[in-house]
Amino acid sequence: MSTPPPLFNRLALIGVGLIGSSIARAARAQGAVGSIVATARSPVTRRRVAELGLADQVVESNAAAVEGADLVIVCIPVGACGPVAQEIGPHLMPGAIVSDVGSVKGSVVRDMAPHLPKGVHFVPAHPVAGTEYSGPDAGFAELFVNRWCILTPPQGTDAAATEKLAAFWRLIGANVETMAPDHHDLVLAVTSHLPHLIAYTIVGTADELETVTRSEVLKFSAGGFRDFTRIAASDPTMWRDVFLANKDAVLEMLGRFNEDVSALTKAIRKGDGDALYEHFARTRAIRKGIVQIGQDSPAPDFGRPHPDLPHAPLPKPYAADET
Ligand code: NAP
């Protein structure tokens, strides 16, 4: 059986960190594009991208990267998207699709759209997939498999361009949904941005305690703390930009969160066990739902391997030969 032709002739990646390098690996593995040209801000990253063989060509400027590309994906922190759009605008090929992977969409549309010429299709995207690691070494081809990629085409975007980008994301394993940029930002404020803020807060609070030592916090972290530390280890630049760019939606969700914390505080103070039980039972059902729709593994403790029991001989009264 002959392999289908690639969806795009030439993919330009601007920024090759966790997300950009995962796209490169997946697009190549699936034959989604004819060739890949990549660039990154620093010579160190560009050199590493070349060493890893992630692209057919590594170039020094954003303008050079987009020349002749029919798909351009900007994979950099959201705060940097506007200036990059301004830089690439005059060099884009007519008919090209320009996209991004930013975790906030309203600000990206606001900052990028004005710089993109007529005849170029702007289809912003957000793959809801990631890890706490950064850089070109951190990516892997399977990152997007069975994860959602949300497309937020501004009103009036060519439907065929949106569908072509959707086909690209499906080919590299993602499920695709389309929504308005502002709605995306509200949804992600509660499912991603608020949880990150909570994790950053808890880990910071534990670090500043005076009555419990730092070494005790680390030693007994399996009580729950360590699961927050994974999220709180996420890239500081990326998350600074997310909170600056999605200020309104995050503040809205934070307001609701504070009300709920107050209600739980009151229940604890009043010794209202029923209120606490009812709340915890509801949240347990949410976890079950996430596992049921395949967005996480059912393995206990996130599937962490557990060490065997130590092989030391049993103390005298329990030893088998004593019975
Ligand atoms: P990353 O691993 O830190 O890589 C970021 C890339 O952007 C690097 O190539 C970096 O170049 C470049 N860059 C940084 N600042 C720049 C600037 N001011 N101008 C131009 N290029 C710049 O980040 P990532 O995790 O791939 O995230 C990239 C985007 O994906 C962000 O918008 C983020 O919101 C979104 N996203 C991330 C995740 C996640 O879990 N990480 C998930 C979904 C979406 P140098 O290496 O040369 O500095």
Side-chain angles (χ1 to χ4, degrees), residues 15-19 41-42 45 75-77 80 101-103 127 129-131 134-135 238:
V16 196
L18 169 71
I19 301 295
R41 178 179 56 167
S42 68
T45 302
C75 307
I76 64 177
V101 294
S103 307
T131 75
S134 308
M238 169 187 157

Side-chain angles (χ1 to χ4, degrees), residues 275-293:
L276 294 174
Y277 184 90
E278 188 272 325
H279 189 96
F280 301 158
R282 193 152 50 87
T283 55
R284 186 180 225 189
I286 290 173
R287 168 73 193 168
K288 242 187 197 162
I290 289 171
V291 170
Q292 269 163 7
I293 62 169

Side-chain angles (χ1 to χ4, degrees), residues 146-167:
N146 201 25
R147 295 287 164 260
W148 285 97
C149 182
I150 302 173
L151 305 187
T152 63
Q155 269 191 346
T157 305
D158 179 39
T162 304
E163 182 41 45
K164 197 167 175 196
L165 187 68

Side-chain angles (χ1 to χ4, degrees), residues 10-12 37 65-72 91-97:
R10 189 171 172 82
L11 163 65
V37 55
V66 304
E67 296 280 357
D70 51 351
L71 175 61
V72 175
H91 305 276
L92 292 163
M93 194 173 79
I97 293 176

Side-chain angles (χ1 to χ4, degrees), residues 14-20 39-43 45-46 62 74-78 80-81 84 101-104 126-136 235 237-239 242:
I14 297 183
V16 196
L18 169 71
I19 301 295
T39 190
R41 178 179 56 167
S42 68
T45 302
R46 292 197 296 270
N62 298 332
V74 176
C75 307
I76 64 177
V78 289
C81 286
V84 165
V101 294
S103 307
V104 181
H126 175 206
V128 187
T131 75
E132 65 277 33
Y133 295 105
S134 308
D235 187 66
T237 306
M238 169 187 157
W239 283 96
V242 166

